[in-house]
Amino acid sequence: MVRNGSLAKKKAEDSTDYTRIANSPSFQELLKKKYAFIIPMSIFFMVFYFTLPVLTSYTTFLNKPAIGSISWAWLFASAQFIMTWSLCMIYSKRAAKFDVMVEKIIQENKV
């Protein structure tokens, strides 16, 4: 049977020092790279996504035919599908690199 004092000591020994991990250079590098990727991509996505409703609501530019009877609005809307799939593929590849960095951080901080 484990006494309360020794149990608390064992928990203290087994616990992970998250503050130390959060302050470690490798974790800071991970955060820096994630922010450098996610923030510009999110801004690009939001601008691209909301451009279509804004342009169709306040201008007539997208109503003009682009290819035969297909208007610029349809091309822009189709481009949003392509943009979404592209961002998904780019994010998946980048997330794999982030996972490698996380695994390195875990290995560095194993007890």
Side-chain angles (χ1 to χ4, degrees), residues 13-56:
E13 291 173 359
D14 292 343
S15 68
T16 303
D17 186 2
Y18 291 106
T19 304
R20 184 176 55 83
I21 294 170
N23 292 328
S24 70
S26 55
F27 187 77
Q28 294 298 317
E29 180 70 18
L30 172 67
L31 289 181
K32 183 178 171 185
K33 288 189 175 189
K34 286 183 87 171
Y35 289 144
F37 174 73
I38 290 171
I39 291 173
M41 286 297 200
S42 297
I43 291 170
F44 170 75
F45 175 80
M46 297 300 275
V47 169
F48 196 90
Y49 181 78
F50 285 111
T51 298
L52 180 63
V54 168
L55 287 178
T56 56

Side-chain angles (χ1 to χ4, degrees), residues 1-8 10:
M1 180 165 201
V2 179
R3 294 182 179 194
N4 287 342
S6 62
L7 181 61
K10 175 112 174 93

